Amino acid sequence: MRYTLLLHYSEASPESLGDEAIAEGMRRMAAYAATLHDAGVLLGAEVLQPSEATTTLRRGTDRLQVQDGPLVDAKEQLGGTIVIDVADLDAAIEWASQAPALDWGGAVEVRPGAVHTVAGSWVPNR
């Protein structure tokens, strides 16, 4: 079963974090990804640019609306995603519980996939 782990945490500027904290965060995320990979459950992962780099699109009644910034202006932002393939929700929760974002005061949302692409075609999650 495929699950996406949505990593939410407060954004801070590189200046407020400092080089040491940034390096530690990168080390912890690399170790987490390596652990998932070594266990054979990692399908993909991505840490996102800060929310200020976001562009949000909506289709109005007569035109496409393009807005700079995230969909929702909130204290915590979506900072990254990890897609894993595990036996069940309990296994997904166990892997999610090891995400560094939890130690940074953030949250990890565990969401089962419905469909995904294989060779450009949509197939149901198993």
Side-chain angles (χ1 to χ4, degrees):
M1 182 77 176
R2 294 169 66 109
Y3 289 88
T4 298
L5 311 181
L6 302 156
L7 310 175
H8 299 270
Y9 44 85
S10 296
E11 289 185 327
S13 70
E15 297 77 25
S16 68
L17 286 173
D19 292 341
E20 188 175 313
I22 291 171
E24 175 65 10
M26 291 172 69
R27 184 195 66 75
R28 295 212 35 224
M29 286 300 291
Y32 182 54
T35 299
L36 293 168
H37 174 76
D38 291 347
V41 300
L42 180 64
L43 297 178
E46 187 165 24
V47 174
L48 303 174
Q49 293 282 334
S51 63
E52 66 187 25
T54 302
T55 302
T56 301
L57 287 78
R58 293 179 186 270
R59 184 164 317 278
T61 56
D62 59 346
R63 65 183 173 89
L64 182 65
Q65 300 169 346
V66 180
Q67 162 191 323
D68 289 338
L71 177 64
V72 176
D73 186 20
K75 180 180 176 184
E76 290 184 344
Q77 294 293 334
L78 177 62
T81 61
I82 296 175
V83 181
I84 58 176
D85 190 357
V86 295
D88 54 31
L89 179 59
D90 289 337
I93 289 170
E94 177 58 34
W95 285 112
S97 74
Q98 299 174 44
L102 294 173
D103 295 330
W104 303 330
V108 177
E109 181 180 343
V110 178
R111 189 177 298 184
V115 295
H116 61 278
T117 59
V118 175
S121 297
W122 290 101
V123 296
N125 202 3
R126 58 175 169 81

